[in-house]
Amino acid sequence: ATPNPWWANAVVYQIYPRSFQDTNGDGFGDLKGITSRLDYLSDLGVDVLWLSPVYKSPQDDNGYDISDYRDIDPLFGTLADMDELLAEAHKRGLKIVMDLVVNHTSDEHAWFEASKNPDDPHADWYWWRPARPGTTPGEPGAEPNRWGSYFGGSAWEYDETRGEYYFHQFSKKQPDLNWENPAVRRAVYDMMNWWLDRGVDGFRMDVITLISKRTDSNGKLPGEAGSELEDGPIGEEGYSNPSPFCADGPRQDEFLAEMRREVFDGRDGFMTVGEAPGITAQRNEYITDPANGELDMLFLFEHVDFDSDGIKWKPRALELPKLKRIMAGYQTAVAKAGWASLFTGNHDQPRVVSRWGDDSNEDDRVRSAKALGLMLHMHRGTPYVYQGEELGMTDAHFTRLDQYRDLESLNAFRQRVEEAHVQTAESMMIGLAARSRDNARTPMQWDASKYAGFTAPDASTEPWISVNPNCAEINAAAEFDDPESVYAFYKRLIALRHDNPAVSAGSWTLVDADDEHVYAFVRSLGDERLLTVVNLSGRTVDLPAESAALVSETADSACGPISADAIVIATHDADHAVASLTKRELAPWEGVVIRI
Ligand code: TEU
Ligand code: CA
């Protein structure tokens, strides 16, 4: 087999620039702030930094609405600041991956402004459609079909200038680009080459599996007058779902292969990861199989969608066997070809220690954060650490609607509680507290000062979103030199991946699949076999049967003692791990990797 590419043994750290480090006292993180923290990131041991968007943007969706792909928004700094960050990162052996948002632009992009004129060359760069026949343009019910936006309301917005509707899966300030148009694709590829030539090391591609839309033989979308395609059913909020016609569309592979040829062929040392709503584990294998020349890896979503009752605002407690089955599906699909990304957190997800761990007290928070980190990082694939995850940062635990900033959360509250009346305010506040994207967007907690060191204590303005008061206990300064901290543990996990090929390249086999508290699996490469057992519960549990049998293999009998030198890494200390495994049990939130 060809040796694994460099990113198969790498760890990526996601930075949400707006919340990472403010250096000019305006309450927003900025590029100079990232540059000022490169030594911290280098010390943690990560290899790649993925920056959420810092391009020019009206900030309607916090930068995922881009109005100029080739300039930096003044909120974050300048192109010179970006060049400085690239140079300083590369000096430390860190690579920089930018966020590529090309399923849609901002409605303030020059391309969209031009597109409003039907005679302009950009007229066909977006999805424009006339009002339904027999309706009054601009009036409710005149939309081309009943699709709803992920951020509330109709997915169609009427533009008076052009006298037609434009399609937007996300906010009305994020019109979808028309990838059917080769001029659009050309412009995207030129921009990507411009950034790579500037020294960027790759891209995380925002909802890249939504760019190819399903139309009928005449290019009509479902529900349009005369379309051969039927729109889906109307949901409880009064809209139909665009996803069946926009996820993993008919030209998905063609566009990704063309992008690879036009942008990446001939280059090396780069990395691409596609955000892939609507993609199954099997399709992941095809898209990430190097033989198909598309993307290096994808973010799949089944494992962060299953713990709810049909919608993220109705959260459910973790059912571990379900999570294990989903992760096993991911891992087995790419056992022979293709690759997996590994993540439990990002800027769209609640913080994993609050979601699947226990943040109700310090001991359980620290232990469950380590257990969840061990579980994820011992899988086969490229791990992603979301800013603050390495500190065990928690959800915001907001109690008032005015504490939220995210348009997805605020629009969902209005639409579900005040318009469609499908959830009570109380139930929605519980849903927001558990699943709002703002949970991951509170400022990075650097120290115990007033604004957690995110911005100066005497800053002229408050941070754009509240700092979590638990920054008093949870912050980088308190953890940096503490060998028992979550930070220290993540540092060891990252070092283990770099040092032990079985961790990055070894096969992965689930054991004790049905156990409800213990997540156990075997990694093996050559004669190295590692058993990972993690108690993802707050109670002491017996090792399940298969794990106990494997542990006994390392001992000289079914109940023989375990030797300390078989312990590779453990969330508690090695002696505690030896004592637990000798008793064939695990303490609450105890995780151990043992050589078997
Ligand atoms: O996210 C797309 C996406 O899948 C999420 O928005 C998800 O649908 C949502 O959080 C509901 O669970 C990408 C970016 O990561 C997100 O921040 C942007 O808001 C979105 O695309 C539009 O660019
Ligand atoms: Ca700033």
Side-chain angles (χ1 to χ4, degrees), residues 529-533 551 554 562-563 566-569 581 592-596:
R529 282 212 306 163
L530 305 175
L531 169 66
T532 296
V533 284
V551 167
T554 65
I562 303 303
S563 58
I567 305 296
V568 174
I569 187 170
L581 294 190
V592 182
V593 178
I594 177 172
R595 188 166 285 111
I596 54 177

Side-chain angles (χ1 to χ4, degrees), residues 181-197:
N181 185 333
V184 167
R185 304 202 300 271
R186 181 75 266 146
V188 168
Y189 304 153
D190 289 349
M191 176 268 290
M192 293 174 73
N193 279 311
W194 185 82
W195 277 110
L196 292 173
D197 293 345

